Amino acid sequence: AAALLYSIWRIRRHMRERSRAEQALSTEVALRQAIEDCMKSGLVAISLQGEILRVNRAFCEMLGYAPEQLVGQRPPHVFWPASDHQQMRAAMDAVRQGMQPEQGFELRFACQNGDFIEVRLYATPLIERDGSHRGWIAALFDITERKRQRLALNASHQRFLTVLNGMQAGVCV
């Protein structure tokens, strides 16, 4: 009877410890999810083979896909424009070889609705606690509007230069 009571006491103690640990884990997961979801930049975790492991809310909103449509997908990904597969594979190979440009990659992605967005992609290795390399985490910033504005400003500047160079009279600004 004493051994039975002792076993019950140990089991209850173990259950309380486990419950506390599960509660702490749940709190930590909720905090990490909140941090990840409040970000404006898209995040995607990719395995060594290129399989999508995880995406955040911003990434899904950028492209118009649900997480379930993206997670588990292997290259070529649905958001890779058919005409840009070679460029996408070259970018993935450069990341794998540690040859990422300092300014990241400027890539074009296809949205689910058929539109295209321009993104700046930065990748960093996804290293496990034991030091093993599991894949990469990529952060993506939508630069579509900034690029459109930059191109419009450049075109305006070119028109201005054309007008100035076409004038017969001297102009001083």
Side-chain angles (χ1 to χ4, degrees), residues 1 14 19 25 31 63 67 96 98-99 111 122 142 151 168 170:
H14 176 73
S19 177
L25 178 62
L31 175 66
L63 300 174
R96 283 188 183 114
M99 306 279 290
C111 299
Y122 299 92
D142 185 349
L151 290 173
Q168 297 299 322

Side-chain angles (χ1 to χ4, degrees), residues 12-125:
R12 287 185 60 139
R13 182 174 163 209
H14 176 73
M15 287 175 56
R16 281 192 301 271
E17 288 173 2
R18 183 178 176 127
S19 177
R20 276 186 247 132
E22 286 175 355
Q23 181 63 35
L25 178 62
S26 177
T27 301
E28 182 68 23
V29 167
L31 175 66
R32 288 175 186 251
Q33 186 70 43
I35 291 170
E36 187 178 295
D37 284 343
C38 79
M39 296 182 72
K40 298 291 183 201
S41 58
L43 293 177
V44 58
I46 300 172
S47 74
L48 294 171
Q49 295 76 31
E51 177 184 354
I52 297 176
L53 303 172
R54 185 174 176 89
V55 292
N56 74 340
R57 181 187 48 77
F59 185 78
C60 293
E61 287 175 0
M62 270 185 215
L63 300 174
Y65 290 99
E68 301 80 37
Q69 294 173 290
L70 298 172
V71 173
Q73 210 182 78
R74 293 182 178 270
H77 300 296
V78 295
F79 50 86
W80 287 9
S83 60
D84 296 351
H85 281 199
Q86 199 63 24
Q87 180 186 12
M88 298 297 180
R89 288 191 189 282
M92 284 187 78
D93 290 343
V95 168
R96 283 188 183 114
Q97 297 166 7
M99 306 279 290
Q100 180 177 208
E102 190 174 317
Q103 281 76 29
F105 295 97
E106 198 169 295
L107 302 169
R108 186 172 69 120
F109 282 176
C111 299
Q112 187 175 27
N113 65 6
D115 291 341
F116 293 95
I117 62 169
E118 299 282 335
V119 297
R120 179 141 337 252
L121 180 142
Y122 299 92
T124 187

